[in-house]
Amino acid sequence: MKKKEVKYGLALLSLFALLIVVEYNQPEPIDWSHTYSVEKKGPFGAYGLFKLLPGYFKNSKITTARKTIFEIEKDYADSTYNYIIIGDEFNPSNEDIVAIKSILNKGNDVFIAASYFSKEAEDSLGFYTGAKFFKDLNLNSDSLYKKASDTIQLSFVTPYWEKHNNYMFENNHLVAIFDSLEKHPDNKVLAATAKGEPIMIHKRIGKGRLFLSTIPLAYTNYYFTQQSGKRFIEKSFNFLQPNRKILWDVYYHGEVVVSTNPLRFVLENNALRYSLYLTMLGAFLFVMFEGKRKQRIIPIIEPVTNNSLEFIKTVSNLYFSKGNHKNIADKKIVYFFDYVKNHYYIHASDTAFKDRLAAKSGLEEARVNHLLKYIETIKSRSSLNGDDLIKLNNLLEDFFKNCR
């Protein structure tokens, strides 16, 4: 590789390394999506809460549940536990609803926090929810509605109410409340807004208890890092049975598989991920354009020139300049007899040379005899002039052209 190419390569590599450093040190953009993931440290993940669950449930084993409720009920048929499900919506299948009832009938506690519950779940488990937005509409003659307060105050009701224990949340984080409690008298309110709107209830089903909440965002990193939110979470979980295994669901909000890819850290970091892609692209381009076998340019070798004609002309001019016609005639005669010997296999000393040459060459005997007689004449002379040489040449050319 040339020095110039090495210099350009080092410059490109330096720029690439600088790009990695700059991208890596840029602040990570905040992920505001509602993931509820125990792996996510964003505002609405549950990383911090999940890490400190052992502090809320002392002497309890914490396990992530990565299967449907139906499968969990089968896998833990002989165990007692608290089953916690948190997500934006709770839309179980019919089999899962039957499994929930079976889990509760066996004496286990189930805690479900969601902003939306499917109608099947509400009808089967016996409760109703309504959209809080419509409750907040205050119609008057001046506007369609007055803007709701930015914050909302929640508190636990008697007998769970404690003095000075009011909890502040952002108003838009509570989108549903429990409604029509009179239709299900067994539903007991645990927590409500300052207006008395229920946001957390519980009921007994069989030997177990079902806890329901309509503010799932309260159980995320966003509120866990606030003193008010932290106390609300602690108070909520205090209702569950102590000293029992905790099954923390990661199925119903999409966190089913945790990647074990060794490149997981790189792929989760934008700067490192882009750097990896650029490296792979650069390697691909290198293989495409530089991976081919290289060799020096093959020089063009001109084919050897046939100089026979020039040589003949040179020799002829030499003989012609000397005027030695006899010498040229002798050489042409020698060439003639050599041709006859190799072509017709007839030797000049053969007694029947004339007859055999005429027969094999296909020429008339008169023409062959005339040629041979003139050759004998030339051989007998000590010198020749130009006309004699030309006549010999014409007779020989006539023979070569017409013989077979």
Side-chain angles (χ1 to χ4, degrees):
M1 185 179 291
K2 296 179 180 179
K3 293 183 178 179
K4 189 175 182 180
E5 294 178 354
V6 173
K7 187 186 298 183
Y8 288 149
L10 290 176
L12 183 61
L13 185 62
S14 301
L15 289 174
F16 183 66
L18 180 62
L19 176 63
I20 293 177
V21 173
V22 171
E23 288 289 337
Y24 186 76
N25 288 294
Q26 283 188 348
E28 191 76 17
I30 298 176
D31 181 10
W32 290 96
S33 57
H34 299 181
T35 64
Y36 302 97
S37 169
V38 298
E39 298 287 333
K40 300 296 183 181
K41 299 179 181 180
F44 300 126
Y47 177 84
L49 174 59
F50 185 76
K51 287 296 182 182
L52 295 182
L53 276 182
Y56 294 128
F57 301 101
K58 296 179 180 179
N59 303 320
S60 297
K61 182 180 178 181
I62 313 296
T63 303
T64 54
R66 304 179 183 277
K67 298 180 180 180
T68 64
I69 300 172
F70 177 79
E71 293 173 302
I72 292 296
E73 193 272 332
K74 300 297 182 184
D75 292 345
Y76 295 91
D78 300 327
S79 302
T80 55
Y81 50 87
N82 296 316
Y83 192 10
I84 301 175
I85 302 174
I86 299 173
D88 276 341
E89 60 180 48
F90 183 66
N91 187 20
S93 64
N94 293 331
E95 292 80 4
D96 289 338
I97 294 174
V98 172
I100 289 178
K101 292 181 178 179
S102 176
I103 291 172
L104 291 167
N105 286 327
K106 294 177 183 178
N108 301 298
D109 286 354
V110 177
F111 182 97
I112 305 174
S115 297
Y116 166 80
F117 294 87
S118 67
K119 187 176 185 304
E120 292 77 8
E122 291 183 354
D123 292 342
S124 299
L125 298 177
F127 66 94
Y128 296 103
T129 58
K132 180 179 177 297
F133 172 77
F134 297 104
K135 300 287 185 180
D136 289 339
L137 291 179
N138 295 309
L139 300 176
N140 56 33
S141 58
D142 298 326
S143 62
L144 290 176
Y145 65 91
K146 294 179 180 179
K147 183 180 178 182
S149 174
D150 290 337
T151 59
I152 188 171
Q153 178 180 296
L154 305 181
S155 60
F156 289 92
V157 301
T158 306
Y160 312 107
W161 178 81
E162 296 177 0
K163 189 176 181 180
H164 305 302
N165 273 359
N166 295 320
Y167 312 95
M168 304 305 296
F169 292 86
E170 292 190 19
N171 191 32
N172 61 349
H173 288 172
L174 178 63
V175 298
I177 57 175
F178 291 100
D179 200 2
S180 304
L181 293 178
E182 67 279 0
K183 295 182 179 180
H184 296 281
D186 55 336
N187 291 343
K188 306 300 180 182
V189 178
L190 296 177
T193 66
K195 297 179 181 179
E197 301 162 323
I199 58 96
M200 185 174 178
I201 64 173
H202 90 287
K203 67 186 302 180
R204 282 196 170 274
I205 297 179
K207 298 179 182 179
R209 296 176 300 169
L210 174 64
F211 295 88
L212 301 169
S213 172
T214 57
I215 183 166
L217 292 178
Y219 306 94
T220 60
N221 299 325
Y222 187 84
Y223 289 108
F224 178 74
T225 56
Q226 302 176 21
Q227 191 62 33
S228 176
K230 197 171 185 178
R231 288 188 287 108
F232 180 83
I233 295 171
E234 183 177 4
K235 185 72 174 179
S236 299
F237 288 159
N238 280 343
F239 291 111
L240 299 176
Q241 293 289 343
N243 303 322
R244 284 189 177 183
K245 179 183 294 186
I246 302 298
L247 296 182
W248 184 277
D249 168 72
V250 294
Y251 181 88
Y252 286 95
H253 54 76
E255 191 185 357
V256 182
V257 179
V258 176
S259 174
T260 57
N261 191 327
L263 294 177
R264 176 184 171 193
F265 175 77
V266 175
L267 296 176
E268 287 182 350
N269 186 287
N270 287 334
L272 295 179
R273 184 171 69 253
Y274 294 146
S275 300
L276 175 63
Y277 293 159
L278 284 174
T279 302
M280 294 173 64
L281 177 61
F284 174 76
L285 293 177
F286 176 82
V287 171
M288 288 294 294
F289 297 103
E290 296 294 330
K292 297 179 180 179
R293 177 177 174 267
K294 288 186 174 182
Q295 64 180 20
R296 288 179 293 180
I297 298 175
I298 300 175
I300 298 176
I301 301 176
E302 297 291 342
V304 179
T305 305
N306 186 355
N307 296 320
S308 301
L309 186 59
E310 287 77 3
F311 175 75
I312 293 173
K313 289 181 178 180
T314 301
V315 173
S316 300
N317 290 332
L318 178 63
Y319 278 103
F320 183 78
S321 62
K322 288 186 177 182
N324 194 349
H325 306 311
K326 172 64 175 173
N327 194 358
I328 296 176
D330 290 340
K331 286 180 169 55
K332 293 182 74 65
I333 292 171
V334 170
Y335 174 77
F336 169 73
F337 285 111
D338 184 70
Y339 174 83
V340 171
K341 176 183 178 183
N342 293 321
H343 194 67
Y344 299 118
Y345 305 102
I346 306 172
H347 198 274
S349 60
D350 192 337
T351 54
F353 178 75
K354 294 179 182 181
D355 298 334
R356 294 183 63 186
L357 178 59
K360 288 191 174 184
S361 65
L363 297 177
E364 299 87 350
E365 289 188 17
R367 294 174 66 180
V368 173
N369 291 334
H370 180 65
L371 172 60
L372 295 177
K373 184 177 181 180
Y374 191 73
I375 289 175
E376 292 297 328
T377 302
I378 295 297
K379 290 172 67 176
S380 63
R381 293 182 183 180
S382 59
S383 63
L384 299 175
N385 56 35
D387 294 335
D388 296 331
L389 182 59
I390 291 173
K391 183 178 179 180
L392 174 65
N393 182 72
N394 291 337
L395 290 173
L396 292 174
E397 288 296 326
D398 178 69
F399 176 85
F400 291 130
K401 287 181 180 179
N402 297 292
C403 69
R404 60 187 179 191

